[in-house]
Amino acid sequence: MSVLFRSMSKRFKKFFGIFLISLLILTISIFVALHLYRSEIKKNIINKISGKISEFLGHDVRIKDISFSFSEGVNFYYINVKNPASFNAGNLLTIKRLHIKLSLNDLLAGRFFSENVTVISPELILFKDKNGRLNLSDKLLSFFKRESKLKYKINEFKIDSGSFRFYIDSENKNSELYRKLLEIEKINITLKELSSNKGAKTLIDGKADYAGGKLKLYGWIYLKDKPKKFMVSASLNDMPLSNFNEISSKYNLELEKAKINAEVFIEGTSDVINIKNRLQINNAVFPYVSRGIKEILLKNESRYIAN
């Protein structure tokens, strides 16, 4: 009897071991199938979104990955907006991550209402060819010209660690000087209360690195009012004039220690604009001036009146 019991016990253990292994294989297979199914669904969603955006912008748009949760919103990863076919194979815009926290109810109702939109590490590269054309599609250019009917409200729109470059296809405009003057790095901009509603006051605050100096910007604008009302104050601090050595050397100017500080204040409406400028240059050495010049200060006020 005991021998029979031991025999049955061994068979049961063997059967149970086979059952566990089979269950484990089945579980792994289900998880793999679900992952592949989920990946396929995600791939289809990405392709549809990329296709819609490509059709809307007139540029080929590629999105590497996407994630979504009801609490955190939508994240798009590694977005590439390609140049038009008539230009080189580079990108007009690349974005490391785009985060949108939005209201699905408003979106279904045709309104784009979002608590915040964050664009992380965008790089915009504009290129102007020998014929004066920019690497922007006709669809995108027409979009900028027409007034959008989309209802939107974004509490906070942020650009984090962005960069901007502008290249001109001309032998005279590809020098180191032009490269420095047409590039902006470490762009951080925050817009608050961005809305399609009339009377909405959008606040602007930003900073960036430009040509070795520090660029700061703040202001406000009523985007949907007619005429548009706005105020913008910008400053550039401690930009080294050694950037201009390839020009200054021709005229015996010593600009190694010289720095420039500039401020501009613009306020008014789309009909009347008041402008105040302040330009200060320190520690420049000019020919026939033995001690150099400690400071040059230029101020200007002007007014622009639309026809």
Side-chain angles (χ1 to χ4, degrees), residues 131-161:
N131 298 319
R133 298 179 305 163
L134 292 171
N135 56 334
L136 300 174
S137 69
D138 292 336
K139 279 189 176 182
L140 190 57
L141 288 172
S142 65
F143 172 76
F144 289 139
K145 292 177 182 178
R146 69 175 183 265
E147 189 166 345
S148 174
K149 295 181 180 179
L150 176 68
K151 297 293 183 181
Y152 63 88
K153 184 177 185 299
I154 303 173
N155 292 341
E156 184 176 81
F157 179 91
K158 292 181 68 175
I159 296 176
D160 187 2
S161 301

Side-chain angles (χ1 to χ4, degrees), residues 207-220:
K207 60 181 180 179
D209 288 356
Y210 175 68
K214 299 295 182 181
L215 186 63
K216 293 182 180 180
L217 173 74
Y218 73 89
W220 49 262

